[in-house]
Amino acid sequence: MIYLIYKDEVSKDTAYAQLCLEAGTGSGEFNIASYLPLHLCNINLWLIPVAVLTRNKYLKSFPFYLGSIGALMALSSPGLGYSGYSLLLTTIWGFYITHFGVLVASLALVTLGLFKPAYKLIPKSLLFIEGINFCVFLVNMFLIYTGIYEYANFMFSISTSGNPILNIFYRILPVPFLYQNLLVVLLIPYMLIVTALYNVVCKYLLRKNKD
């Protein structure tokens, strides 16, 4: 419900709509398809509670490994329309609150003991991440080619929408969806490092409690 209210307020932001129109990332008009919660952090908003309720470790691995770094990237390098504007605008404060919330909730999965990173989870977690990304890409293609929403670009699988970090990878491999596989390659060492740090911290706390 909160998500729908926020999206409704964003749809009334005429300045942001005009900005998207000029940049070619939106029509400047309302389209219900743009409400689909299929961007990375939107997916995490509903996936985290589902993962906790079902106790599925692979569902939890998605927000922990990808949701946290994705939210951090978004906060550190806001894309088109999210930088240089007043924080009082609905579009802006909603952006920062949403991504900060995803970052905190993703890390809370581990700090609250709801998810335990493990090396053996990484291969299937990567397949799960790639599977969701590919499904979202197919949704984008369907919306575009049927004319339902020609600007569909959920999870930025079609284009970077001006995101400075994604632009780096798109310049290397300027092919929709495939350019994101470069990010997946970098995700592997990131997941290994994060899992290693988790094990180090756990061993340290275990020794400290014994002492």
Side-chain angles (χ1 to χ4, degrees), residues 29 51 62 107:
E29 300 177 355
F62 184 91
L107 297 177

Side-chain angles (χ1 to χ4, degrees), residues 12 15 21 35 47 49 52 60-61 66 71 76 91 93-94 99 104-105 111-112 119 136 156 158 161 167 196-197 207:
K12 299 173 184 177
L21 178 61
Y35 276 45
L47 187 60
V52 172
K60 294 176 185 177
S61 70
L66 194 58
S76 61
T91 304
W93 63 255
H99 288 86
V104 172
T111 57
L112 296 178
Y119 294 115
V136 172
F156 304 105
I158 304 298
S161 292
N167 281 338
L197 288 174
R207 287 199 301 268

Side-chain angles (χ1 to χ4, degrees), residues 15-29 80-81 144 149-153 156 158-162:
Y16 179 71
Q18 182 61 31
L19 181 64
C20 290
L21 178 61
E22 293 173 357
T25 59
S27 63
E29 300 177 355
L80 177 68
I144 292 171
Y149 185 41
E150 61 180 301
Y151 297 98
N153 188 29
F156 304 105
I158 304 298
S159 68
T160 67
S161 292

